[in-house]
Amino acid sequence: MKVPFNDLARSMPRDEVWSRVREVLEDGRYISGPEVAAFEREFARYCGAGHCVGVSSGTTALQAALLAFGVGPGDEVITVSATFMATTAAIVHVGAVPVFVDIDPRHRTMRVDAVEPAVTSRTRAIVAVDLYGHPSDIGPITEVARRHGLTVICDAAQAHGASYHGRRVGSLADATTFSFYPSKNLGAVGDAGAVTTDRADIADRIRELRDHGRRADRDDHVRVGYNWRLDAVQAAVLRVRLRHLDGCIRARREAAARYGRLLARSHLDLPTEATGVEHAYHLYVVSGADRTRMRAALRARGIATAVHYPTPVHLLPPMRPYAPADHSRRLAVTEALARECLSLPMFPGITAAEQAAVADAVHEAESSARRVHR
Ligand SMILES: *Cc1c(COP(=O)(O)O)cnc(C)c1O
């Protein structure tokens, strides 16, 4: 049986999206405007945040959040290397220096006890990443931040709909950034992003930054900004899909539970959830196998997989200057994850039969590997 890695069409509410997009086309206000404002209100409410500002991507959301908190040249930002390049690129783009710390091996998010030792007199902010959809342990991270006067930003590009001790991601940090890249948990039909925050002043500053430093509905420019605006067609699609987000997260969590049962007798390390956390399972990432061999065996059976991410950010050539020089800050767990991580097919609408085919292929690959070793 052929199993795709992802199939966005299965969860696209086509008719609802068409009719909402048609209204926007007929309305004629295509950039910012009432559709964007409506999405911002609805997404803020969904997250339990005071404010949401829509921007052009998850990357510009991070840049805008860092700039709004005044992070800039000379500042250090404590972050993880186990992420997509964009998290670190945003820090570098505002002129700050990323200081990488390792991740927790079970949940693959920032190691809480690594944060305080990385604080220096230049540290201004912490950017935690909810990798694969598992929320960062933001409680103790925030305690460290408060002791040292640091801002906490959460990169939740993979974690829409996840929750932490009963609160939704998006309401937990000083600011949370989201990407609505089409394959994310909440996807647009192009590039889009947002920042949520409880701080009205920060939301206002991000509104200025995204629109050439302009105050809403005025022509005076109060700062040098950017064109990081969200367009109305993306907002229309997002408004429709937001109404289905909880159902999609439920489907992802059910699929993850089913993989847990189907793969219980395999030797793979399966994803786990910290106590009090609801993982959004943007990706279902296993480790502990010979990845090259396992991928090839699955591919031979028509099963598509992916790798998120084959090289940790600190080992990518443009980021090497920021790799920790100090041996005591080695990113051993991050590097091991990059070597072993394998993302299995995971998307709302994946069928039980498709998941069973994935599990059969994994078991078959494991038993033929044992035969080879004998
Ligand atoms: C997708 C992603 C981003 C970047 O979002 P874009 O919308 O593609 O700019 C940033 N961080 C993480 C963790 C991501 O997965």
Side-chain angles (χ1 to χ4, degrees), residues 23-36 230-233 235:
E23 281 174 46
V24 166
L25 295 185
E26 281 161 10
D27 175 77
R29 286 171 288 184
Y30 300 146
I31 297 274
S32 307
E35 193 69 12
V36 170
L230 177 61
D231 71 72
V233 168

Side-chain angles (χ1 to χ4, degrees), residues 2-12 181-188 241 248 252 259 281-284 295 302-306 308 343-351 354 358:
K2 258 187 135 55
V3 183
F5 179 66
N6 199 346
D7 184 355
L8 300 179
R10 287 194 211 176
S11 59
M12 178 61 81
Y181 183 81
S183 63
K184 306 283 169 146
N185 295 352
L186 178 60
R241 302 200 76 188
C248 288
R252 288 178 183 276
Y259 270 141
Y281 290 105
H282 171 58
L283 296 167
Y284 190 88
R295 280 200 94 181
I303 290 155
T305 56
H308 300 88
S343 307
L344 300 183
M346 165 58 80
F347 51 92
I350 190 170
T351 66
E354 286 172 324
V358 173

Side-chain angles (χ1 to χ4, degrees), residues 311-323:
T311 308
V313 171
H314 70 282
L315 297 180
L316 293 170
M319 294 302 178
R320 282 203 177 246
Y322 307 108

